[in-house]
Amino acid sequence: MPPKKAVNTPSKRPRTAPARTAKIFKSEAKPATQNPIKSGKTTSSDVAAAAGVSRSAVSFAFNNPQRISAATRERILAAAEQLGYTPSTLGRMLQAGTTNSIGVLLPQRLAQILDNPYYARFLMGAGQVCDREGYTLLLTPPLRDSVLKAIPYAAVDGFVVCGLEIDRGEVAELDRRGIPFVLIDSDRHEGAPHVEVDDRGGAREVARYLLELGHRQIAVLSIDPGPDVATRGYQGPLGRRLAGIGDALADVGMTMADVTLAEVPATRGDGYRATAGLMAARPTAILALSDVLAYGAVDALRELGFDVPGDVSVTGFDDLSESAWFRPGLTTVRQPIVTKGRIAADFLISAIRGEDQHPHQTLGTSLIVRDSATKPA
């Protein structure tokens, strides 16, 4: 049974005073503040009102401070800090038409890229220039296995394009959109800057070194050329490196048909897995076209019971930092990876600023002889 409500018995005393008292109480309880808290996000208009300036002055304070006096800018920044205001990065980019960011358009998925120390060295060089020039660096891997699809989603001012050939759709798309770009390790494109190394000369030198040691049973552990090799042939750095090996073989009356060839992704694990198959041909030397593939080959040879270099010599290409203290020290071709990244970023930022004259630069390579190759037993 619900409880009974209390019944208020009306008082017979006059009730005029309480009403007056309530009115006085409401007036005294009203908070006295000059800047009531505003709900919602603080805007540039709020900062302008607090600092006693126009919205344009607020914009100048954050984007173009030389347009206003130092005192005015300090007053605006103090008001912005008090109100918790930060300018919209997206809005600033839309207004300025620039992102102050460059993208590195990558040919492989991010997991594969990060598994290859070559890219850490390359990005170090590019990052040094970005730090100096006030740019950020955005890695842009394929989107749903398509580099072409990734381009529209990258909010950047231009691209460093790694390992893509000029006849691919990505290069044509960048041309069509008018986006500045620099090609790395591809064939030359007259409408864009280009940076490469002497891949052919470097591969010729290391192959000649193995041949001069007396090796004739040679296996080549190659970077995967991709699915189009049957129709397009070997292109870019891989094509040039294989051509360099062919040059050295020709000097001793041999051809590429006389070597065993394995083509795998450029990871240590893939180099390891491919080496067991290569050893069926009993090579006395494995010429790997990247250092990480050479590391994997040495790992596999040790597990199979072969001594390096006593039973099998191994060489690489890149001269990554690990190659000097790898055991045995890796004989390899040195390419200036950090310098290549630095020049690429320099060329791109110059192109973004309209200073570019479409320069092309080829960097030299050198043979670094260590302990992983010797005369065949």
Side-chain angles (χ1 to χ4, degrees), residues 81-310:
E81 183 178 2
Q82 184 179 9
L83 294 172
Y85 170 78
T86 54
S88 166
T89 302
L90 179 59
R92 292 170 69 183
M93 289 191 303
L94 292 173
Q95 184 179 28
T98 182
T99 65
N100 275 8
S101 180
I102 64 174
V104 180
L105 202 57
L106 299 165
Q108 299 169 315
R109 294 180 181 180
L110 206 52
Q112 288 178 285
I113 294 296
L114 297 178
D115 195 35
N116 188 343
Y118 165 88
Y119 281 102
R121 303 288 293 169
F122 179 83
L123 294 172
M124 179 189 298
Q128 289 169 355
V129 175
C130 288
D131 288 342
R132 186 191 73 210
E133 300 295 333
Y135 278 73
T136 57
L137 194 64
L138 176 69
L139 301 186
T140 310
L143 179 63
R144 296 189 292 277
D145 294 324
S146 170
V147 178
L148 188 63
K149 291 177 183 176
I151 292 173
Y153 290 93
V156 296
D157 296 330
F159 284 104
V160 172
V161 181
C162 294
L164 295 180
E165 297 310 311
I166 60 173
D167 59 350
R168 287 182 52 130
E170 293 86 355
V171 175
E173 178 68 6
L174 292 171
D175 268 333
R176 186 186 71 80
R177 289 174 173 266
I179 300 173
F181 62 95
V182 174
L183 292 168
I184 307 301
D185 294 331
S186 70
D187 295 326
R188 294 188 179 188
H189 180 62
E190 290 309 314
H194 171 262
V195 186
E196 64 180 351
V197 300
D198 183 12
D199 290 290
R200 186 167 187 159
R204 180 171 55 244
E205 192 172 9
V206 71
R208 182 175 292 156
Y209 176 73
L210 289 174
L211 291 166
E212 288 175 349
L213 286 173
H215 293 280
R216 294 297 183 269
Q217 296 297 114
I218 298 175
V220 175
L221 189 50
S222 171
I223 302 165
D224 183 10
D228 300 332
V229 65
T231 55
R232 302 173 69 216
Y234 294 101
Q235 298 191 358
L238 176 56
R240 293 190 289 273
R241 292 179 194 182
L242 291 174
I245 295 170
D247 294 340
L249 291 171
D251 290 341
V252 296
M254 297 173 63
T255 69
M256 288 297 294
D258 297 315
V259 304
T260 305
L261 179 66
E263 298 169 338
V264 296
T267 71
R268 188 167 183 161
D270 284 295
Y272 170 87
R273 286 184 285 273
T275 298
L278 286 176
M279 291 309 295
R282 306 298 294 180
T284 60
I286 295 177
L287 193 162
L289 294 188
S290 79
D291 280 6
V292 291
L293 289 176
Y295 302 157
V298 173
D299 292 341
L301 289 169
R302 284 173 175 160
E303 191 167 300
L304 292 168
F306 293 99
D307 178 69
V308 178

Side-chain angles (χ1 to χ4, degrees), residues 307-329:
D307 178 69
V308 178
D311 297 320
V312 183
S313 292
V314 178
T315 62
F317 198 113
D318 288 330
D319 195 30
L320 301 174
S321 300
E322 184 180 347
S323 297
W325 47 264
F326 188 76
R327 289 295 174 265

Side-chain angles (χ1 to χ4, degrees), residues 46-88:
D46 300 323
V47 177
V53 298
S54 66
R55 286 183 61 194
S56 296
V58 175
S59 177
F60 291 152
F62 287 97
N63 303 312
N64 201 0
Q66 64 269 23
R67 297 285 299 273
I68 57 177
S69 69
T72 300
R73 183 169 188 262
E74 289 302 319
R75 190 164 76 252
I76 293 170
L77 295 180
E81 183 178 2
Q82 184 179 9
L83 294 172
Y85 170 78
T86 54
S88 166

